[in-house]
Amino acid sequence: MGRLFSVFFSVFVSSICFGQISLAKYRSMTDSIIKAYFSSSVFRKANCTGYFAQEAKTGNLIGGKYEDDKSKEVNIELITMFYSLKSEELKYEFGFSVSIDSNSKIYLHEEIFDIPVCVRMGKPCYFITKERAIARAQKDSIQYFTNLIVEMKKPKNSEDYYWVVSGQDKRNVDYSIKPKDGWQVYPKKKSNTRYLNAKTGEILSYDEYQCIDKKD
């Protein structure tokens, strides 16, 4: 899951006493917060894909697909709801998540801010597509060019967005087969990773990207 509390800010839900509450209720709470960051037409296209929670009494970890379990009632210490949003323009699916703790506090995780404003507001981005980014990386002799995974990222010290194209040996992972529990993270190296400016398609060197993505 990465860092669970990678939080930009939080807000309080008014006077909710948590007990046995359905996943659909938790989704309605997270929806009420995140919809402010999307146009109404785009927000309607966002899907709640799954959840991961720690139960309050037992401490057990539970999770699954939202549509399968939305009527399920749980008493949580913490729950994270996962969403996806597909951009037809970019041919890419963004993922983001929101958490609620037992004190009624809602946390927006940083992935939502990795989604360009043009995507969230339903406006043209004029970025190169995911397919073009892959083609450019393959032309630039990226290692494992037949087995690539692509992410769109906004470096910490830049206003630009980048396609991050990374290859891996199929003996370790096959990116054509989507796992149930998310992708395993593998090291990004100079030989198997390319960073492409999403506006221009220009490839930024590995070292240059590390510089603009490091913490202040």
Side-chain angles (χ1 to χ4, degrees), residues 46-58:
N47 294 315
C48 185
T49 57
Y51 69 98
F52 187 81
Q54 181 180 10
E55 293 182 309
K57 292 183 179 180
T58 65

Side-chain angles (χ1 to χ4, degrees), residues 195-209:
Y195 300 97
L196 296 94
N197 186 296
K199 275 283 191 195
T200 66
E202 180 184 0
I203 296 177
L204 196 66
S205 75
Y206 181 91
D207 292 332
E208 288 174 317
Y209 187 87

Side-chain angles (χ1 to χ4, degrees), residues 12 50 66 73 96 113 116 120 153 163-164 166 171 177 206:
F12 284 95
Y66 172 76
E73 293 190 345
F96 59 98
F113 302 103
R120 289 192 271 125
K153 294 290 186 181
W163 288 112
V164 181
S166 183
R171 290 173 294 184
I177 303 173
Y206 181 91

